[in-house]
């Protein structure tokens, strides 16, 4: 799973998910061509986490 992070001129952020790297790269190209200046791409890394909560 690949994630594309983008922000708009108002400072809000949006995240889109893609199965394949090629799809994520195409989306980044579209965003840059449309004028988006802040775009990041990341790969999801599955992890096992153990969380304990005291009440």
């Amino acid at each position: 799973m690949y994630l594309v992070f983008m922000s708009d001129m108002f400072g809000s952020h949006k995240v889109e998910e893609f199965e394949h790297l090629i799809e994520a790269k195409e989306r980044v190209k579209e965003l840059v061509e449309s004028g988006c200046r802040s775009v990041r791409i990341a790969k999801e890394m599955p992890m096992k986490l153990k969380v304990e909560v005291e009440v």
Side-chain angles (χ1 to χ4, degrees), residues 9-40:
M9 63 181 141
F10 302 112
S12 63
H13 299 280
K14 184 177 176 185
V15 179
E16 295 180 1
E17 298 178 354
F18 298 92
E19 267 310 303
H20 304 284
L21 180 59
I22 295 170
E23 296 170 336
K25 285 182 177 182
E26 286 298 320
R27 182 62 177 141
V28 169
K29 286 179 189 176
E30 291 171 6
L31 292 166
V32 171
E33 288 173 355
S34 70
C36 187
R37 300 254 184 239
S38 180
V39 182
R40 292 176 178 83

Side-chain angles (χ1 to χ4, degrees), residues 38-50:
S38 180
V39 182
R40 292 176 178 83
I41 188 169
K43 183 176 181 180
E44 185 179 56
M45 294 176 26
M47 303 169 112
K48 290 185 180 181
L49 299 175
K50 182 177 179 180

